[in-house]
Amino acid sequence: MNPLAAGSRLVRRTIAWQVIAVAALALALFAKGSAWAVAAVAGGAAITAGGALYGVLALGGGIAPAAGALSRLVLGLLAKWFVVIAVLFVAIAVVRLPALAVIGGVVAALVAQVLAMAGGHRNGNP
């Protein structure tokens, strides 16, 4: 019944679903070439790492007044999207991985995130 513990469980479940989805996509894209598989992993890793960082920053401070809790949420969100944009920039512009596969990894990770979050609310359990 602890909401912070439930949030931490949700973050772990979401990361597990994302890793499985991105690994399946990378395995499928390996037939196209190893660069495509690595690109899919890079895109999925950007979303997964950003989500994990958000979970740590947003849920790591324990019970706090509203201003402190809101500031942790905003800080976590900003950090998440900074990590995502930085990793995507490096993967596409610097390393020159196939952009379509990078975006495919992002989409796979985001779809897995939505499914993990929606699947956790059966019978009111987060």
Side-chain angles (χ1 to χ4, degrees), residues 13-23 44 47-49 51-52 108-110 112-113:
R13 182 174 53 239
T14 301
I15 290 171
W17 279 58
Q18 287 174 327
V19 167
I20 291 168
V22 171
I47 297 297
T48 303
L110 288 174
Q113 176 181 343

Side-chain angles (χ1 to χ4, degrees), residues 3-54:
L4 293 177
S8 296
R9 285 192 307 273
L10 180 61
V11 168
R12 286 192 303 272
R13 182 174 53 239
T14 301
I15 290 171
W17 279 58
Q18 287 174 327
V19 167
I20 291 168
V22 171
L25 177 65
L27 190 61
L29 288 178
F30 193 71
K32 182 110 171 113
S34 62
W36 284 73
V38 169
V41 169
I47 297 297
T48 303
L53 180 62
Y54 174 78

Side-chain angles (χ1 to χ4, degrees), residues 59 67 69 82 87 92 97 107 117:
L59 300 173
F82 177 78
V87 170
I92 294 171
L97 293 172
V107 169
M117 290 181 166

